């Protein structure tokens, strides 16, 4: 049974593409055949984060509009088995997406893949609707700050009213919260919202909390999904999140202050 | 020949090509008080002109309760003038036999005595002789079990609204009657949206952006900070919004 999962947020810059790349890669590492689709037509980023920008010949839009076969556009990841990327067009815009075209591609992908990860553009306009319309599950990426929480709430409303499942009266889209850029020090100083504050408003199950970590930006710049960095806390947190997506019960990490020894404390102070 | 689902259903039922069902509508009623007043038509048409969209093609019931002792000669003119202004008189209520006859002559329906003008002694007598009271009509309420998210609107246009999940910031809930929120209320709530000043708002946790009853509102900033997060009831008292903690 294949699953279509949209990674969405409403707000921009919260880490949708990073999360889609990381979770997709983590699922593939667990042996599930996975494809990540870039829905951000005109602002093509996923291929950069995945480090395959120099291998793009045909894209998602060519498949929808220009009669290119899906397999000509799919790019297989060189590092991870079971992982493919469907890049988007940098020159076209969101109007190049048609609901029928998107649905047709998704249905074709369902035959080949276990997980189809849709990386949504920001906003609540056409591009975001296209990305979420066919979803079975949704990962709502949220930063611990009020505007991001409010936009996530809006997206949850759209998922429950405008998705295909909502329109057809099927079981609702299953929603998950992925809290990213969680900076424990700033949370403790009261500069950022706590996980509980976010949950109080959004009231959906937590898929994961990704700690603020310099390794994320480094990995992005290298074109490497952060889960491939074994030393990265964020990478570990994404792996945990992927495991939870697969139904495993794993305790949340990086949400409580670690017990620090004196040496560790001194070390951190000087660092 | 393949039948559509609806046709199948009707075949399975009575086999008739139509269905007759009771349906409830709210109608405007025009109570005729002093039809010989020279300002009757100018005043009436002014009202119509004031809200043309509201009255356009709207069905209206004429109420003859106050004038049934008089001759129904004015009825024809009232009907004609209303039709000229695209208001559709559909029937007469509380008429005497004379009035009813005139109404039928003008193509109007005769409504069983309406509730608006129950000052008819003969009717009162009949009602008194009945042992069962007529059941009060309860307008349609609405129950919402899913969270109302920012940007969503939930409206109960005829009755009360019960929300059993949080109402997020930026969401709007509105009802003709009361609003109950058995969870945090963080959005905007409009009770008595059609002007019912008796309507109230109840919530488990007050964090509302705005509370409004019959158009009289308070924004979050004006709410008493001591009530925030509390179980409260909001009602109107002397045209002011009153928010009180619930026990």
């Amino acid at each position: 049974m294949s699953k279509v999962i949209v990674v969405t947020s409403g707000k921009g810059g919260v880490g949708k593409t990073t999360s889609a790349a990381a979770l997709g890669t983590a699922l593939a590492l667990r042996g599930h055949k996975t494809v990540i689709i870039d829905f951000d037509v005109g602002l093509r980023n996923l291929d950069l984060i995945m480090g395959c920008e120099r291998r793009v010949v045909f894209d998602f839009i060519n498949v929808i509009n220009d009669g290119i076969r899906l397999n000509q556009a799919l790019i297989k990841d060189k590092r991870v088995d079971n992982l493919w990327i469907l890049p988007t067009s940098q020159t076209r815009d969101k109007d190049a997406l048609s609901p029928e075209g998107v649905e047709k591609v998704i249905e074709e992908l369902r035959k080949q893949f276990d997980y189809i990860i849709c990386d949504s553009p920001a906003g609540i306009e056409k591009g975001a609707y296209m990305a979420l319309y066919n979803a079975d599950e949704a990962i709502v990426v949220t930063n611990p700050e009020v505007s991001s929480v409010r936009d996530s709430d809006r997206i949850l409303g759209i998922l429950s009213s405008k998705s295909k499942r909502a329109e057809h009266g099927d079981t609702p889209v299953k929603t998950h919260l992925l809290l990213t850029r969680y900076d424990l020090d700033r949370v403790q100083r009261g500069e950022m919202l706590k996980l509980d504050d976010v949950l109080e408003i959004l009231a959906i199950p937590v898929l994961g909390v990704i700690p603020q970590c310099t390794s994320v930006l480094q990995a992005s710049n290298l074109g490497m999904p952060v889960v491939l960095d074994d030393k990265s806390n964020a990478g570990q947190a994404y792996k945990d999140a992927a495991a939870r997506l697969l139904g495993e019960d794993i305790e949340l990490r990086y949400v409580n202050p670690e017990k620090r020894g004196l040496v560790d404390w001194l070390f951190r102070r000087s660092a | 020949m393949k039948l559509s689902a609806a046709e199948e259903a009707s075949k399975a039922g009575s086999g008739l090509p139509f269905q007759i069902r009771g349906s409830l509508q709210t109608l405007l009623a025009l109570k005729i008080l002093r039809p010989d007043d020279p300002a009757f038509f100018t005043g009436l048409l002014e009202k119509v002109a004031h809200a043309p969209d509201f009255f356009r093609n709207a069905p209206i019931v004429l109420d003859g309760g106050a004038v049934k002792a008089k001759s129904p000669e004015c009825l024809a003119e009232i009907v004609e003038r209303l039709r000229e202004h695209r208001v559709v008189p559909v029937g007469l209520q509380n008429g005497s036999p004379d009035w009813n006859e005139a109404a039928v002559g003008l193509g109007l329906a005769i409504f069983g005595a309406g509730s608006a003008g129950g000052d008819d002694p003969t009717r009162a007598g009949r009602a008194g002789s009945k042992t069962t009271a007529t059941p009060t009509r309860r307008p349609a309420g609405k129950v919402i079990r899913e969270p109302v998210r920012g940007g969503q609107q939930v409206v109960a246009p005829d009755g009360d609204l019960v929300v059993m999940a949080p109402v997020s910031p930026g969401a709007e809930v509105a009802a003709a009657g009361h609003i109950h929120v058995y969870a945090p209320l963080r959005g905007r709530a409009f009770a008595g949206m059609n002007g019912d000043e008796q309507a109230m708002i109840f919530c488990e946790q007050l964090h509302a952006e705005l509370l409004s009853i019959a158009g009289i509102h308070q924004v979050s900033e004006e709410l008493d900070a001591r009530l925030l997060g509390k179980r409260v009831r909001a009602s109107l008292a002397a045209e002011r919004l009153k928010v009180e903690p619930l026990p």
Side-chain angles (χ1 to χ4, degrees):
Chain A
M1 247 301 277
S2 70
K3 265 188 193 156
V4 178
I5 302 178
V6 63
V7 179
T8 186
S9 70
K11 192 168 161 55
V14 295
K16 282 183 296 297
T17 302
T18 302
S19 299
L23 291 171
T25 305
L27 289 169
L29 287 171
R30 297 286 303 262
H32 299 280
K33 199 174 170 193
T34 303
V35 58
I36 314 174
I37 313 177
D38 191 347
F39 271 83
D40 203 349
V41 187
L43 296 168
R44 200 179 89 190
N45 280 169
L46 179 70
D47 51 321
L48 287 174
I49 306 283
M50 293 299 296
C52 63
E53 73 277 10
R54 293 190 296 163
R55 295 166 61 204
V56 176
V57 182
F58 298 116
D59 58 48
F60 186 25
I61 304 303
N62 294 139
V63 176
I64 292 177
N65 295 330
D66 307 324
I68 299 297
R69 276 183 296 113
L70 193 52
N71 288 336
Q72 290 175 278
L74 284 170
I75 299 175
K76 179 160 183 350
D77 190 88
K78 284 185 174 168
R79 298 154 296 203
V80 181
D81 282 343
N82 301 314
L83 182 60
W84 274 261
I85 289 97
L86 183 54
T88 193
S89 165
Q90 178 72 356
T91 52
R92 309 288 290 276
D93 62 31
K94 269 60 171 183
D95 290 333
L97 294 170
S98 65
E100 304 76 28
V102 171
E103 193 159 10
K104 201 165 151 242
V105 172
I106 298 264
E107 288 314 312
E108 210 172 319
L109 289 170
R110 275 188 195 270
K111 291 178 204 150
Q112 301 183 37
F113 289 93
D114 301 326
Y115 286 94
I116 299 150
I117 311 286
C118 303
D119 179 23
S120 171
I124 50 170
E125 284 80 33
K126 188 176 177 188
Y129 275 101
M130 292 291 160
L132 68 79
Y133 185 72
N134 293 286
D136 301 313
E137 300 190 18
I139 296 171
V140 179
V141 183
T142 307
N143 287 171
E145 46 117 356
V146 285
S147 57
S148 176
V149 172
R150 177 169 290 196
D151 292 358
S152 294
D153 189 65
R154 180 88 165 97
I155 276 289
L156 285 166
I158 290 170
L159 283 162
S160 68
S161 58
K162 301 283 172 63
S163 62
K164 186 174 173 183
R165 282 177 172 267
E167 283 183 359
H168 291 213
D170 299 338
T171 47
V173 176
K174 194 170 166 191
T175 52
H176 309 272
L177 173 67
L178 187 67
L179 194 58
T180 56
R181 300 200 165 156
Y182 198 67
D183 187 332
L184 203 52
D185 289 335
R186 296 189 66 186
V187 169
Q188 285 184 292
R189 288 202 297 271
E191 295 169 10
M192 268 187 175
L193 296 178
K194 291 197 295 284
L195 172 62
D196 289 348
D197 299 336
V198 178
L199 283 177
E200 203 180 305
I201 301 274
L202 297 181
I204 56 172
V206 187
L207 183 71
V209 176
I210 312 299
Q212 172 77 25
C213 187
T214 50
S215 58
V216 175
L217 187 60
Q218 276 168 17
S220 292
N221 287 336
L222 288 173
M224 182 183 83
V226 70
V227 288
L228 297 180
D229 179 353
D230 285 333
K231 293 192 198 71
S232 161
N233 284 349
Q236 298 301 312
Y238 274 120
K239 280 187 182 167
D240 287 359
R244 290 186 200 104
L245 201 56
L246 296 170
E248 292 171 28
D249 188 14
I250 297 177
E251 208 181 330
L252 281 175
R253 291 195 264 179
Y254 316 112
V255 288
N256 292 312
E258 328 155 31
K259 292 189 183 68
R260 287 179 194 163
L262 184 60
V263 178
D264 190 30
W265 185 75
L266 285 171
F267 177 74
R268 288 216 174 208
R269 287 282 290 210
S270 58
Chain B
M1 195 185 75
K2 203 169 163 356
L3 293 171
S4 75
E7 284 168 327
E8 296 269 14
S10 80
K11 285 265 166 185
S14 63
L16 290 171
F18 53 80
Q19 284 186 334
I20 295 182
R21 291 279 182 274
S23 84
L24 289 174
Q25 310 286 343
T26 311
L27 294 179
L28 294 169
L30 174 68
K31 199 161 184 177
I32 305 166
L33 299 175
R34 298 185 305 279
D36 32 16
D37 188 324
F40 184 87
F41 284 108
T42 42
L44 176 62
L45 299 177
E46 225 165 69
K47 279 264 181 218
V48 174
H50 190 66
D53 288 338
F54 181 72
F55 284 104
R56 186 175 303 132
N57 301 329
I60 194 164
V61 180
L62 305 177
D63 189 320
V67 288
K68 65 178 141 198
K70 298 185 185 172
S71 141
E73 60 190 17
C74 63
L75 192 61
E77 192 181 0
I78 294 175
V79 168
E80 192 185 327
R81 297 291 282 269
L82 285 172
R83 282 184 182 148
E84 272 170 22
H85 286 80
R86 302 185 65 185
V87 183
V88 187
V90 292
L92 179 78
Q93 65 182 12
N94 297 326
S96 62
D98 278 356
W99 278 79
N100 288 349
E101 199 180 315
V104 171
L106 291 163
L108 299 184
I110 306 300
F111 283 81
S115 56
D119 51 358
D120 182 340
T122 54
R123 258 193 74 228
R126 260 189 290 146
S129 64
K130 275 191 195 165
T131 48
T132 52
T134 39
T136 47
R137 194 174 59 172
R138 204 167 147 272
K142 203 174 200 176
V143 180
I144 303 291
R145 292 184 170 81
E146 296 297 309
V148 187
R149 303 285 183 180
Q152 290 186 314
Q153 286 181 317
V154 176
V155 182
D158 303 314
D160 296 351
L161 177 65
V162 178
V163 185
M164 300 170 69
V167 177
S168 291
E172 293 183 353
V173 289
H178 308 305
I179 294 176
H180 305 252
V181 180
Y182 295 104
L185 168 58
R186 301 190 175 95
R188 300 157 161 246
F190 303 83
M193 57 187 268
N194 299 333
D196 181 358
E197 298 186 357
Q198 304 303 311
M200 289 186 270
I201 300 170
F202 304 85
C203 71
E204 258 328 282
Q205 263 185 50
L206 178 70
H207 293 290
E209 293 173 327
L210 183 147
L211 296 176
S212 165
I213 295 175
I216 296 172
H217 65 265
Q218 265 185 16
V219 292
S220 158
E221 204 178 68
E222 297 159 348
L223 295 172
D224 186 343
R226 287 168 299 183
L227 293 170
L228 295 183
K230 299 279 179 0
R231 291 177 69 219
V232 301
R233 173 182 69 181
S235 56
L236 275 191
E239 308 226 317
R240 286 188 60 84
L241 203 69
K242 189 173 74 176
V243 186
E244 307 161 283
L246 282 170

